[in-house]
């Protein structure tokens, strides 16, 4: 593992720890905050369906099924999952992109990582110059930018 890969992996691990990214579901009411109209609409539709089922002679016996399905399916809206970022996922296009998104292209690296790379004695001066050039061109660098720098460093 090169020095840039090591520093990038440490930064990703620190980010996962700080943001509690561990792939575990956590109870959250963010759905209600983000989509209050949809939340109210779901309950209005559920009560309308319940009223129709209670009026129907053939459906009145299966009201319990409506309640159970609504509670189970509605429960998914109250849990958020923060997916774990991994170095190995950078530049990999598979089903994980559907779950995580292309976080490595949309998230910018912290300035501490850039400083650590520039001040590390284990990073070549050519790589440091390339990093400076990338900063002057783009301003802020994404995780993918640093990944490409590490990839260039490993290829002979």
């Amino acid at each position: 593992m090169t020095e840039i890969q090591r520093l990038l992996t440490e930064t990703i691990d620190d980010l996962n720890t700080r943001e509690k990214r561990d792939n575990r579901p956590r109870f959250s009411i963010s759905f209600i905050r983000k989509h209050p109209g949809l939340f109210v609409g779901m309950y209005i539709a559920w009560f309308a369906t319940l009223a129709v089922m209670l009026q129907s002679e053939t459906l009145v016996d299966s009201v319990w099924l409506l309640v159970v399905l609504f509670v189970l399916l509605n429960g998914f809206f109250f849990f958020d999952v923060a997916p774990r970022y991994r170095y190995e996922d950078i530049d990999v296009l598979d089903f994980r992109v559907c779950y995580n998104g292309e976080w490595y292209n949309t998230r910018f690296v912290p300035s501490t990582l850039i400083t650590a790379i520039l001040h590390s004695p284990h990073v070549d001066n050519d790589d440091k110059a390339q990093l400076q050039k990338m900063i002057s061109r783009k301003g802020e660098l994404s995780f993918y930018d640093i990944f490409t720098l590490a990839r260039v460093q490993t290829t002979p």
Side-chain angles (χ1 to χ4, degrees), residues 77-92:
F77 291 113
F78 292 104
F79 287 94
D80 286 336
V81 176
R84 186 179 235 350
Y85 295 153
R86 298 177 344 149
Y87 178 83
E88 297 81 27
D89 293 342
I90 298 176
D91 201 29
V92 175

Side-chain angles (χ1 to χ4, degrees), residues 49-65:
T49 305
L50 181 63
V52 168
M53 288 181 80
L54 289 174
Q55 297 297 319
S56 170
E57 292 178 15
T58 54
L59 297 176
V60 74
D61 293 332
S62 59
V63 168
W64 65 271
L65 182 61

Side-chain angles (χ1 to χ4, degrees), residues 68-83:
V68 169
L69 284 175
F70 184 76
V71 168
L72 287 176
L73 295 175
N74 199 13
F76 288 109
F77 291 113
F78 292 104
F79 287 94
D80 286 336
V81 176

Side-chain angles (χ1 to χ4, degrees), residues 66-137:
L66 171 71
V67 173
V68 169
L69 284 175
F70 184 76
V71 168
L72 287 176
L73 295 175
N74 199 13
F76 288 109
F77 291 113
F78 292 104
F79 287 94
D80 286 336
V81 176
R84 186 179 235 350
Y85 295 153
R86 298 177 344 149
Y87 178 83
E88 297 81 27
D89 293 342
I90 298 176
D91 201 29
V92 175
L93 295 176
D94 59 7
F95 285 122
R96 285 175 287 196
V97 172
C98 298
Y99 181 60
N100 287 353
E102 289 186 340
W103 62 271
Y104 46 84
N105 281 324
T106 57
R107 294 217 44 177
F108 296 116
V109 296
S111 59
T112 54
L113 173 63
I114 294 171
T115 305
I117 293 171
L118 291 175
H119 290 91
S120 174
H122 303 294
V123 178
D124 294 339
N125 287 333
D126 293 338
D127 294 328
K128 290 179 183 179
Q130 180 67 25
L131 180 62
Q132 290 284 12
K133 192 184 301 182
M134 291 167 72
I135 293 169
S136 66
R137 283 188 196 149

Side-chain angles (χ1 to χ4, degrees), residues 20-38:
K20 295 180 181 174
R21 296 186 159 280
D22 56 4
N23 294 337
R24 292 186 180 160
R26 288 192 168 73
F27 182 77
S28 171
I29 59 170
S30 64
F31 175 76
I32 299 171
R33 284 191 208 129
K34 290 179 186 174
H35 310 286
L38 180 59

Side-chain angles (χ1 to χ4, degrees), residues 33-47:
R33 284 191 208 129
K34 290 179 186 174
H35 310 286
L38 180 59
F39 183 74
V40 170
M42 285 182 352
Y43 275 93
I44 290 171
W46 184 74
F47 282 119

